């Protein structure tokens, strides 16, 4: 078990290094000098001089990448072009907003999706199952920002049931929750369909296995078989899918934050692009990549803990 | 008198279409997809107005006889912009997915058939590319090189390669062990021959399914980036820029958002239905494993 965890974390570290280097190289491949590219047209001469020194532009490319990593490990991602505050601080201020939004979205959709999936598997081929099936497939690919725009139009602008803008008053939980309803609906909707289908398929597979048949033969009530034994195995694929889906969740969060003018990584990136504040753009992209790599790694490890076949095999 | 004629066997493609049309989900998907393709193809004849012609006196009208879906803030006909927007969506989606499939096929087959170290290297490459959240990565690139249709195509293509590559790799690996390949090898068939004549045709079916399901994702991404002002440049009509106009004018008129969203929802539903049905026809074993 431990060796699997170490191997998996090692792989994540290698991927992070490669991904960050790739990002670094992209900045360098753009025509023009990297300092102008990174700082944008609004940089002052002092900032240019500071960045040139920090990046070690006179050194070979490999040394520059090394320097970049050394700075990154110290938490130094450069300075904001406008406020001259450290990029790390600015980005870290926004991360909790995005993570809260993603966690709330995936939680409600996982609960509903698992419930619908179980219902469909137990009542296979019933009208409810078919209806759930068609609805799931219909919502799976609908882009989050379209759901966001429609719910904004209907529930915030026309009906005025929910607020249209912002994340709510700091410290007022009720208000914050009220502001989370529409954005988390937009992000979570497609996941309900996706998880429902996934749980249905794996539940049907599990229900056909030997130990479940044994439980049935012993006369255990169906309810206990489904919820006590089968469900635990049937939600395993969901864990992986949510981990791998973090990239989709982050992407959906970008759009949703823009539509509802919520603070967060997405809003930060877009605002920084429109003001050509490149260090902040790069810092945000870097952080979201780190979050993504961490979540896929975590999902794999959780899966290995829950399912002994993974850590033993392949 | 009994009729002894044996029914003529259908071709493989005919077989697929036959099963597709009998599945209500598949038929619905096929009809929607054909409608979208036709409207994009024949946009100049279907659209009643020039999609970028300004007509300021008629701005922000609701749906009516003159303008089926109303007009935007510059008096442009929304229906015409929706029809032409479909063209832009497909102009992005088709080359993007085509390119991603080609690169994915090549890398995936090399990884699946080649020596272990090449396999490890390519898988690591796939994992690295996949570690960027697509939209964030796209935004970073757009921030550096500026928004354009080509930027969108290249970025989404690069980030889609691992999806196809991994499937091709897995299929190639399992085919490599198949008896008919071993037989071919013992008969002296060369590696290129095995790859192109035996492995390639067996990989194409699952890839087609994946592509059908991936089209809505790509169309959604293009629309999303254009919505953020990071994709197609104005005045080119795109469903995303239509939604952006609608978002800015949401308190003046609901029609731009309604009109911009419906084609996106139809496209996603159409291609997803088609992909699902196609998958059940091509490989019943994959049932219930598609999606994200």
């Amino acid at each position: 078990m431990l060796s699997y965890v170490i191997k998996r974390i090692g792989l994540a570290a290698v991927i992070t290094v490669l991904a960050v280097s790739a990002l670094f190289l992209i900045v360098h491949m753009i025509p023009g000098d990297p300092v102008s590219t990174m700082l944008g047209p609004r940089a002052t001469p002092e900032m240019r001089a500071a960045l040139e020194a920090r990046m070690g532009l006179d050194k070979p490319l490999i040394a520059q990448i090394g320097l970049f990593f050394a700075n990154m490990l110290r938490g130094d991602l450069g300075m904001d072009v406008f406020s001259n505050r450290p990029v790390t601080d600015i980005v870290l201020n926004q991360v909790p907003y995005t993570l809260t939004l993603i966690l709330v979205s995936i939680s409600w959709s996982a609960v509903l999706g698992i419930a619908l999936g179980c219902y469909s598997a137990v009542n296979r081929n019933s009208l409810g199952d078919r209806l759930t099936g068609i609805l799931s497939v219909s919502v799976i690919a609908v882009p989050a920002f379209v759901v966001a725009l429609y719910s904004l139009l209907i529930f915030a602008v026309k009906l005025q049931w929910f607020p249209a803008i912002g994340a709510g008053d700091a410290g007022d939980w009720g208000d914050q929750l009220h502001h989370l309803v529409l954005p988390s609906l937009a992000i979570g909707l497609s996941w309900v369909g996706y998880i429902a289908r996934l749980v249905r398929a794996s539940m049907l597979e599990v229900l056909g296995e030997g130990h479940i048949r044994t439980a049935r033969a012993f006369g255990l009530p169906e309810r206990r078989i489904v919820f006590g034994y089968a469900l635990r195995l049937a939600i395993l694929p969901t864990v992986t899918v949510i981990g791998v889906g973090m990239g989709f969740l982050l992407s959906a969060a970008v759009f949703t934050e823009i539509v509802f003018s919520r603070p967060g990584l997405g809003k930060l990136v877009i605002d920084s692009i429109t003001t050509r504040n490149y260090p902040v753009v790069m810092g945000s992209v870097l952080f979201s990549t780190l979050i993504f790599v961490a979540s896929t790694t975590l999902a794999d490890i959780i899966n290995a803990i829950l399912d002994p076949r993974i850590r033993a095999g392949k | 008198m009994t009729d002894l004629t044996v029914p003529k066997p259908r071709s493989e493609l005919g077989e697929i279409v036959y099963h597709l049309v009998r599945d209500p989900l598949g038929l619905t998907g096929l009809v929607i997809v054909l409608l979208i393709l036709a409207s994009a193809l024949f946009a100049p004849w279907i659209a009643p107005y020039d999609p970028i012609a300004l007509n300021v006196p008629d701005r922000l009208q609701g749906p009516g006889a003159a303008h089926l879906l109303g007009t935007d803030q510059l008096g442009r006909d929304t229906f015409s912009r929706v029809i032409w927007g479909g063209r832009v969506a497909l102009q992005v989606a088709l080359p993007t997915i085509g390119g991603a499939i080609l690169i994915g096929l090549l890398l995936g087959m090399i990884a699946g058939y080649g020596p272990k170290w090449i396999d490890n290297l390519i898988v690591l490459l796939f994992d690295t590319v996949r570690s960027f959240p697509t939209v964030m990565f796209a935004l970073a690139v757009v921030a550096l090189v500026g928004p354009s249709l080509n930027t969108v195509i290249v970025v989404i293509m690069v980030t889609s390669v691992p999806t196809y590559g991994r499937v091709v790799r897995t299929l190639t690996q399992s085919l490599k062990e198949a008896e008919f390949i071993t037989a071919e090898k013992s008969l002296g068939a060369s590696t290129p021959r095995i790859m192109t004549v035996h492995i390639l045709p067996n990989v194409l079916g699952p890839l087609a399914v994946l592509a059908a399901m991936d089209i809505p994702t790509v169309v959604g991404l293009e629309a999303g980036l254009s919505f953020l002002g990071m994709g197609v440049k104005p005045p080119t009509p795109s469903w995303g820029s239509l939604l952006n106009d609608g978002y800015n004018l949401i308190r003046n008129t609901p029609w731009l958002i309604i009109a911009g969203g419906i084609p996106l929802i139809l496209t996603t539903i159409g291609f997803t239905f088609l992909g699902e049905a196609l998958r059940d026809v091509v490989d019943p074993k994959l049932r219930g494993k598609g999606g994200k």
Side-chain angles (χ1 to χ4, degrees):
Chain A
M1 184 65 220
L2 193 65
S3 74
Y4 175 83
V5 172
I6 292 172
K7 245 172 43 194
R8 191 61 192 79
I9 291 177
L11 181 66
V14 173
I15 289 173
T16 310
V17 169
L18 286 176
V20 173
S21 310
L23 216 53
F24 184 88
L25 286 176
I26 290 171
V27 173
H28 279 251
M29 275 177 346
I30 309 289
D33 72 308
V35 174
S36 314
T37 314
M38 279 190 73
L39 289 178
R42 307 216 184 189
T44 59
E46 297 87 67
M47 294 179 77
R48 295 179 58 90
L51 184 67
E52 267 166 33
R54 207 178 72 95
M55 286 169 68
L57 283 176
D58 48 337
K59 300 190 181 75
L61 200 60
I62 289 288
Q64 291 182 36
I65 294 183
L67 204 61
F68 183 69
F69 274 105
N71 287 327
M72 200 180 89
L73 285 178
R74 279 188 277 119
D76 176 7
L77 292 175
M79 290 294 181
D80 175 12
V81 180
F82 296 108
S83 63
N84 222 5
R85 279 167 58 210
V87 169
T88 316
D89 286 3
I90 295 178
V91 175
L92 277 180
N93 271 335
Q94 303 299 317
V95 169
Y97 288 106
T98 304
L99 284 186
T100 313
L101 177 61
I102 288 177
L103 281 179
V104 171
S105 310
I106 200 63
S107 306
W108 82 262
S109 50
V111 170
L112 188 60
I114 290 172
L116 283 174
C118 286
Y119 168 83
S120 285
V122 175
N123 303 292
R124 194 180 178 184
N125 292 333
S126 67
L127 185 67
D129 174 30
R130 276 163 205 225
L131 220 60
T132 312
I134 292 178
L135 279 179
S136 307
V137 181
S138 307
V139 297
I140 271 181
V142 174
F145 77 100
V146 176
V147 185
L149 284 170
Y150 275 24
S151 57
L152 177 76
L153 179 67
I154 299 169
F155 299 110
V157 175
K158 293 291 165 200
L159 297 173
Q160 306 204 336
W161 289 351
F162 296 99
I165 289 175
D169 284 338
D172 183 349
W173 283 96
D175 192 39
Q176 287 182 15
L177 217 56
H178 199 205
H179 279 80
L180 267 171
V181 175
L182 294 183
S184 65
L185 171 78
I187 297 179
L189 187 65
S190 70
W191 284 89
V192 177
Y194 188 40
I195 292 173
R197 278 164 47 89
L198 205 65
V199 170
R200 178 186 185 273
S202 56
M203 182 63 112
L204 285 175
E205 206 178 310
V206 173
L207 285 178
E209 275 172 19
H211 69 284
I212 298 293
R213 248 182 301 154
T214 312
R216 279 221 179 92
F218 273 93
L220 286 183
E222 190 67 22
R223 182 181 291 269
R224 190 138 161 241
I225 294 176
V226 170
F227 294 105
Y229 296 94
L231 184 60
R232 205 170 356 147
L233 288 171
I235 59 173
L236 276 181
T238 310
V239 177
T240 320
V241 156
I242 292 176
V244 177
M246 194 61 170
F248 292 94
L249 286 165
L250 279 164
S251 299
V254 173
F255 294 120
T256 313
E257 283 168 7
I258 298 300
V259 170
F260 291 99
S261 306
R262 282 180 67 87
L265 276 179
K267 182 122 177 33
L268 183 67
V269 171
I270 300 294
D271 289 349
S272 313
I273 291 178
T274 37
T275 52
R276 299 188 159 263
N277 193 346
Y278 293 139
V280 177
V281 177
M282 285 301 152
S284 318
V285 175
L286 208 70
F287 260 91
S288 58
T289 307
L290 292 182
I291 293 174
F292 187 24
V293 173
S295 74
T296 41
T297 310
L298 198 67
D300 276 356
I301 291 175
I302 291 177
N303 240 328
I305 293 171
L306 294 176
D307 188 347
R309 283 171 303 187
I310 295 176
R311 54 176 189 262
K314 86 154 188 156
Chain B
M1 197 170 81
T2 44
D3 186 5
L4 286 176
T5 47
V6 181
K8 210 173 127 222
R10 275 183 288 266
S11 69
E12 203 171 333
L13 189 69
E15 190 77 18
I16 289 175
V17 173
Y18 173 75
H19 283 288
L20 212 58
V21 175
R22 278 172 54 111
D23 177 357
L25 221 60
L27 186 62
T28 316
L30 193 65
V31 168
I32 297 176
V33 166
L34 287 178
L35 277 178
I36 292 166
L37 290 179
S39 84
L41 203 61
F42 301 115
W45 293 277
I46 296 172
Y49 295 87
D50 180 348
I52 55 173
L54 308 186
N55 181 12
V56 182
D58 283 348
R59 69 176 179 273
L60 291 181
Q61 289 188 354
H67 299 280
L68 218 53
L69 291 172
T71 56
D72 67 5
Q73 74 280 17
L74 298 171
R76 298 175 294 196
D77 179 56
T78 306
F79 180 66
S80 306
R81 288 181 73 74
V82 167
I83 297 292
W84 279 90
R87 237 181 202 214
V88 172
L90 292 179
Q91 259 170 23
V92 172
L94 299 181
T96 303
I97 291 178
I101 287 183
L102 276 183
I103 305 172
L105 254 178
L106 193 68
L107 290 179
M109 290 200 344
I110 293 174
Y113 203 83
K116 189 75 196 152
W117 67 272
I118 293 187
D119 182 30
N120 286 338
L121 207 67
I122 292 179
V123 169
L124 193 64
L125 179 76
F126 286 166
D127 284 347
T128 307
V129 174
R130 276 189 348 148
S131 68
F132 294 112
T134 311
V135 170
M136 280 290 187
F137 182 65
L139 289 175
V141 175
V142 169
L144 294 171
V145 302
S148 81
L149 209 63
N150 289 337
T151 315
V152 174
I153 292 176
V154 170
V155 169
I156 305 180
M157 191 194 298
V158 169
T159 49
S160 310
V161 165
T163 319
Y164 296 98
R166 291 182 76 96
V167 171
V168 173
R169 170 180 171 268
T170 316
L171 288 169
T172 309
Q173 272 178 340
S174 60
L175 281 168
K176 192 165 72 171
E177 312 296 331
E179 266 174 33
F180 76 98
I181 299 281
T182 319
E184 272 290 314
K185 263 194 246 169
S186 60
L187 287 173
S190 65
T191 305
R193 187 185 150 80
I194 291 176
M195 294 263 234
T196 51
V197 177
H198 298 291
I199 292 184
L200 188 64
N202 284 302
V203 170
L204 286 180
L207 272 192
V209 176
L210 211 59
M213 300 225 189
D214 207 23
I215 287 178
T217 316
V218 176
V219 169
L221 271 173
E222 179 271 311
L225 289 172
S226 299
F227 168 73
L228 296 174
M230 307 287 163
V232 178
K233 272 181 281 192
T236 312
S238 147
W239 294 335
S241 41
L242 211 72
L243 284 169
N244 187 27
D245 291 340
Y247 175 62
N248 294 324
L249 297 162
I250 195 164
R251 289 177 200 276
N252 307 49
T253 172
W255 292 108
L256 287 174
I257 285 187
I258 297 174
I262 286 173
L264 269 171
I265 293 176
L266 274 180
T267 308
T268 53
I269 288 182
F271 278 101
T272 314
F273 278 14
L274 184 66
E276 293 270 329
L278 206 58
R279 185 192 50 208
D280 291 348
V281 176
V282 171
D283 187 359
K285 274 178 294 185
L286 285 172
R287 218 174 258 263
K289 295 210 171 136
K292 298 278 170 192

